[in-house]
Amino acid sequence: GLYRRMKPLLNNFSARFIRIFVTAVTILALIPSLYIFMYIMVLHVPGNDECLWVYQPSLKKYLINRVVKGGVADQAGIKNGDYLVKFNGKSFQHGEDAVKMLNNVPLNSYATYTIERAGIQFDTQILIIKVFDYTYFSVFLLGFGFLLFGYTVAMTKPVGVLQRRFWLYGLLSLL
């Protein structure tokens, strides 16, 4: 098949050319990977108020559940069963509105929640914290480690088919 036709092509390149090719492709793969890493881990860190909201479309407000005891929502006086009616004075039209508003709050800033409890509305200030994504960070480090290891193996014997495959697997694990 295709591999048999490509096999001689791969073997016709010099070790120097393969080293340059592997280095260039590795750098090209690192650029978008590092950009996405920075975007997720630094530029667009999701906000958290340490409680769960469930949107009620007919009411156009969120039912609040699972308030973390001692968390920022608890400290702001929010209780399970409360309704989030407004976020920084803005009402909700769609289920994702509050999440978008929450994620746009800068690090270590406060937001004003309009809460409804037993038919009475009141405003409360709540500290919005940012969450570190340990899962994404771990997966990125694992992929980066595989790429670095695969790159090192490919550089030791660039004409070796097994070494190039090892590099390719490392490259794919990062992407």
Side-chain angles (χ1 to χ4, degrees):
L2 181 62
Y3 180 73
R4 283 189 200 157
R5 283 184 269 156
M6 287 183 63
K7 189 175 177 183
L9 177 67
L10 296 174
N11 292 336
N12 289 335
F13 292 112
S14 69
R16 182 176 183 272
F17 177 83
I18 294 172
R19 279 191 178 105
I20 293 169
F21 176 77
V22 166
T23 301
V25 171
T26 300
I27 291 169
L28 287 174
L30 279 173
I31 292 169
S33 297
L34 290 173
Y35 173 78
I36 292 168
F37 175 80
M38 292 299 293
Y39 181 79
I40 291 172
M41 298 302 296
V42 178
L43 302 174
H44 196 276
V45 179
N48 192 334
D49 60 1
E50 297 183 320
C51 64
L52 176 70
W53 309 332
V54 179
Y55 187 63
Q56 309 293 308
S58 60
L59 304 174
K60 294 200 185 276
K61 53 188 171 183
Y62 293 84
L63 175 63
I64 297 175
N65 289 317
R66 298 184 189 168
V67 176
V68 175
K69 188 172 178 85
V72 292
D74 189 34
Q75 291 172 13
I78 297 171
K79 308 232 180 277
N80 288 329
D82 287 348
Y83 285 97
L84 177 60
V85 180
K86 292 181 183 176
F87 189 103
N88 285 339
K90 296 179 184 170
S91 299
F92 311 112
Q93 301 302 317
H94 306 286
E96 65 278 351
D97 289 351
V99 175
K100 288 179 183 175
M101 293 176 196
L102 177 72
N103 288 337
N104 287 330
V105 175
L107 178 65
N108 294 327
S109 296
Y110 285 85
T112 302
Y113 283 15
T114 302
I115 300 295
E116 183 180 305
R117 182 181 301 150
I120 300 169
Q121 290 188 5
F122 62 93
D123 288 344
T124 185
Q125 294 285 311
I126 183 167
L127 176 66
I128 304 301
I129 59 176
K130 298 294 183 171
V131 179
F132 185 81
D133 191 342
Y134 288 100
T135 304
Y136 179 78
F137 185 70
S138 301
V139 169
F140 176 82
L141 281 182
L142 186 65
F144 185 75
F146 275 126
L147 177 62
L148 190 61
F149 194 66
Y151 177 79
T152 303
V153 168
M155 290 295 107
T156 59
K157 187 177 178 188
V159 293
V161 174
L162 185 61
Q163 287 79 2
R164 289 189 305 230
R165 281 190 189 156
F166 202 85
W167 164 77
L168 183 60
Y169 295 146
L171 181 72
L172 294 175
S173 70
L174 180 66
L175 300 176

